[in-house]
Amino acid sequence: MTKNLFMVRTRICRFHLFLGLGVAIFLQSCNLAPKEEQKPTVKADTINQINFFLETSASMGGYLNGSTEFKNIVSEFANKISQIEPVRKPLAIYTISAEAQAYPGDVDKFVTSLATVPLANARSSELHTIFRQVGEKARNNSVALLVSDCILSFPDGDIKKNPQINATDASSVLKNEINRQFAALSKDTINATVYAYSSAFNGTYYDYQNKKQKLNGESRPFYIWVIGKQRILNLFNQKLQAALTTKPDKQLDFGGSGSTAGYNLFFTLNRKGENWNADGQRITNLKGVRADQPAEFAIGVNLSGLPAYAQTEAYLTKNLIVSAGNAGVKLLKIEPKDDVKGTEKLKTNEARMLSEATHVLTFRVTQLFENETPVSIKLPVRYDTWYLNQSTMDDRTSAGREGKTFALEHLMNGVRDAYETGSGADKSFLQLTITLEQ
């Protein structure tokens, strides 16, 4: 009897065990069982390949003779960019005058050749054809760099026929050729950064009439261009600038991914005032605001598509324009999103909105006269103009070319025109509108 009772109990226990396992399996198959929360993984931007071009026309020879800063700086660039990560493909090195030639060696061999091999022995080159080839290597998430003296010039044959052609036509023909190349890049949201350096020059200098002059240690400017898609370009420049020992004398950024018009309006972040409501791109119920009882609100904007300089707090503070007619509306502060306080209290929706932003702009409202007041927020495109003082149209004498590059103004303006969008004062990196309602 006892034995039979034991067997019955064992069967019941086994039944309960199998029943429990079956229910668990069933719940899991129906997605009813609790699961661990999976955090979304953020995919980092990855550079496909870095392409490094050294212009080797005859005008570059003086930078490579003797002990020059040029060789030190170019060597450092080649070495440091070969260490940048993440990059899918190995560094590709080219020399270029008329046509790009793949360099037959690695970075170490290239650096050695700067000191031992006469690389700059090709005929004169045309910058617009060089930029066309370099730009092609800046597609598909790749980055292309070009080291050049950036002297705009017609071919030798044209100068022989008309020695003044560089002086008379650089501002039209050559500028437009440059503009055409960069307009094609701009159309594909491929942008550019220019680093300006200077170096001793020992050798033959060719003036705008192609007449030769022997220079012995005269300081001459040269330029390193970095070209790529804006997000990739920003990533590359950040890593490069952190690694460089020799910082550039000047820098200029061209481009942007077009005018940014979208934003998120927060309901609680940096909020002041009890009664107002956030509704899409409108703030309502502001009837009671006054100087001693203001309302404060914040918006999140994503400026990652702008050049790096246009994302800095200094640039934004200096150039952001807020227009609200006769209403009392003031920009209180500009914060990178990582500097914003109190974010741990945000609910899910606002936390998502903050994660989509790069900056938070906070505004104060002190008076409204109309039932509806549109507030316009603009960030104009403003380029540095240091290159104007570094340009000359007569480089035949030491005084005329000291610290200057022939026709640099027309080269840079050709590039600048390609990236500026809209017309006149409407060229903006940012154009937002918020409606305030009483």
Side-chain angles (χ1 to χ4, degrees):
M1 176 74 180
T2 304
K3 182 177 180 180
N4 291 337
L5 183 60
F6 173 77
M7 291 177 64
V8 169
R9 286 177 177 174
T10 301
R11 288 185 186 128
I12 292 173
C13 290
R14 286 178 180 173
F15 172 76
H16 285 161
L17 175 64
F18 288 129
L19 178 63
L21 288 172
V23 170
I25 293 170
F26 173 76
L27 289 173
Q28 187 171 6
S29 66
C30 295
N31 291 322
L32 297 176
K35 295 181 180 180
E36 292 185 8
E37 185 178 349
Q38 294 182 348
K39 295 182 179 180
T41 56
V42 179
K43 187 177 179 181
D45 289 322
T46 301
I47 300 169
N48 183 47
Q49 188 170 32
I50 301 171
N51 302 279
F52 187 72
F53 291 80
L54 174 65
E55 186 191 345
T56 54
S57 60
S59 67
M60 297 288 292
Y63 293 110
L64 293 165
N65 290 330
S67 178
T68 66
E69 295 85 353
F70 178 91
K71 290 192 288 187
N72 296 335
I73 293 166
V74 173
S75 295
E76 182 185 4
F77 259 79
N79 180 46
K80 295 294 176 61
I81 65 176
S82 70
Q83 301 173 43
I84 286 178
E85 294 181 344
V87 181
R88 291 192 178 94
K89 298 179 182 178
L91 174 68
I93 301 175
Y94 301 86
T95 58
I96 187 168
S97 53
E99 297 293 333
Q101 302 290 328
Y103 181 78
D106 59 12
V107 174
D108 292 336
K109 184 178 178 181
F110 174 75
V111 169
T112 301
S113 68
L114 288 174
T116 60
V117 179
L119 293 174
N121 50 16
R123 295 177 62 85
S124 65
S125 55
E126 296 177 80
L127 272 177
H128 64 276
T129 64
I130 288 179
F131 278 120
R132 175 181 54 78
Q133 296 174 73
V134 173
E136 285 301 316
K137 291 293 185 179
R139 301 182 183 278
N140 303 317
N141 277 4
S142 291
V143 173
L145 293 89
L146 170 66
V147 183
S148 171
D149 58 7
C150 286
I151 295 176
L152 278 181
S153 180
F154 283 87
D156 294 343
D158 293 341
I159 299 172
K160 287 179 181 178
K161 294 176 184 177
N162 177 8
Q164 288 297 116
I165 191 170
N166 280 332
T168 58
D169 291 1
S171 61
S172 54
V173 178
L174 296 182
K175 175 188 171 183
N176 289 332
E177 291 284 5
I178 291 293
N179 177 265
R180 187 175 297 111
Q181 298 306 321
F182 279 92
L185 295 176
S186 175
K187 184 178 179 181
D188 293 334
T189 64
I190 296 173
N191 304 320
T193 296
V194 188
Y195 297 108
Y197 287 93
S198 58
S199 170
F201 189 96
N202 304 300
T204 302
Y205 180 81
Y206 298 82
D207 66 24
Y208 79 88
Q209 294 178 330
N210 246 4
K211 292 180 179 178
K212 299 179 182 180
Q213 298 187 40
K214 287 291 184 181
L215 305 187
N216 184 19
E218 183 175 309
S219 182
R220 298 290 312 137
F222 71 94
Y223 308 88
I224 301 179
W225 292 72
V226 187
I227 302 174
K229 285 275 190 179
Q230 187 66 67
R231 289 181 66 87
I232 294 296
L233 184 63
N234 285 345
L235 170 69
F236 178 87
N237 279 330
Q238 289 169 10
K239 293 177 179 290
L240 175 65
Q241 291 168 10
L244 285 178
T245 301
T246 308
K247 305 301 182 183
D249 301 329
K250 300 278 197 310
Q251 178 180 335
L252 192 59
D253 297 88
F254 293 107
S257 59
S259 184
T260 299
Y263 63 89
N264 283 315
L265 176 59
F266 293 103
F267 182 69
T268 63
L269 187 65
N270 291 353
R271 178 191 176 107
K272 188 172 183 179
E274 297 298 325
N275 298 321
W276 61 263
N277 298 311
D279 182 13
Q281 296 187 344
R282 307 173 78 87
I283 296 180
T284 61
N285 201 24
L286 287 167
K287 185 176 294 186
V289 297
R290 56 180 186 264
D292 62 345
Q293 196 173 345
E296 294 178 8
F297 66 92
I299 63 172
V301 292
N302 190 323
L303 305 181
S304 62
L306 305 188
Y309 76 91
Q311 299 183 42
T312 64
E313 187 175 349
Y315 182 91
L316 293 169
T317 301
K318 181 179 179 180
N319 294 290
L320 205 62
I321 299 172
V322 180
S323 303
N326 59 1
V329 181
K330 177 183 178 181
L331 175 64
L332 273 187
K333 57 184 175 180
I334 301 167
E335 300 170 286
K337 73 172 180 182
D338 293 337
D339 294 346
V340 179
K341 294 180 173 60
T343 58
E344 68 281 353
K345 299 177 182 179
L346 294 178
K347 293 185 178 180
T348 302
N349 189 44
E350 282 197 292
R352 174 192 57 77
M353 290 160 57
L354 182 64
S355 71
E356 295 172 353
T358 59
H359 295 74
V360 172
L361 313 183
T362 303
F363 300 84
R364 174 179 289 165
V365 186
T366 55
Q367 63 179 10
L368 294 173
F369 296 102
E370 308 295 335
N371 289 331
E372 282 195 2
T373 301
V375 180
S376 171
I377 304 163
K378 289 187 178 182
L379 182 65
V381 174
R382 304 214 190 280
Y383 290 113
D384 199 342
T385 56
W386 57 259
Y387 61 86
L388 298 176
N389 294 326
Q390 202 160 309
S391 180
T392 180
M393 292 307 294
D394 189 351
D395 60 350
R396 293 174 295 178
T397 66
S398 177
R401 64 176 174 264
E402 183 179 2
K404 300 178 185 295
T405 299
F406 179 79
L408 183 67
E409 174 183 357
H410 304 307
L411 166 62
M412 295 299 194
N413 283 340
V415 178
R416 174 176 171 170
D417 290 349
Y419 285 105
E420 288 187 334
T421 56
S423 60
D426 293 331
K427 298 170 184 175
S428 300
F429 285 132
L430 188 72
Q431 281 190 301
L432 311 178
T433 300
I434 302 172
T435 301
L436 307 182
E437 294 184 7
Q438 291 198 50

